[in-house]
Amino acid sequence: MAATALAPLAVQKFFDSDGNPMTGGQLFTYTAGTSAKVATWQESTGTTLNTNPIILDWRGEARIWLDPLLTYKFVLAPPTETDP
C-alpha cells in the first residue's frame, strides 16, 4: 500500500465508562454494513498491518491508518470480549 493511499486517524484514544483509559480494550474493524473484517495499518507507509482486533495499549491508544476508498465499521469491546 502506498503512503499516499492511506488516511490517518493518527493516535486514537478510548476510555471506559468510568473515564479511565481502556487498557487492553479491543477495536474490531469491519467493512461497513457487514461482518467482514477489514485491514488497518500501524503507519502511513502501509507496511505493517494492525491486528484485528486492534489491542489498545496501556493508555487506551492505538495508531490506525485507513484505506480512504473503504467505509469502515468500528466495534469497541472490553479485553474479555470475543469476536462480537
Side-chain angles (χ1 to χ4, degrees):
M1 178 83 43
T4 57
L6 296 181
L9 282 180
V11 176
Q12 296 296 299
K13 187 164 189 157
F14 300 90
F15 300 91
D16 65 19
S17 59
D18 294 323
N20 300 311
M22 195 173 202
T23 302
Q26 302 177 89
L27 184 65
F28 293 84
T29 59
Y30 303 94
T31 301
T34 75
S35 59
K37 289 186 178 178
V38 66
T40 63
W41 292 266
Q42 294 181 20
E43 75 293 295
S44 65
T45 59
T47 304
T48 308
L49 286 171
N50 279 315
T51 59
N52 197 350
I54 300 166
I55 306 301
L56 305 179
D57 68 16
W58 66 275
R59 293 180 303 233
E61 295 178 349
R63 283 153 185 75
I64 306 169
W65 292 77
L66 306 175
D67 182 336
L69 301 178
L70 298 177
T71 305
Y72 290 79
K73 171 176 74 175
F74 298 94
V75 177
L76 183 62
T80 56
E81 182 72 50
T82 58
D83 200 348

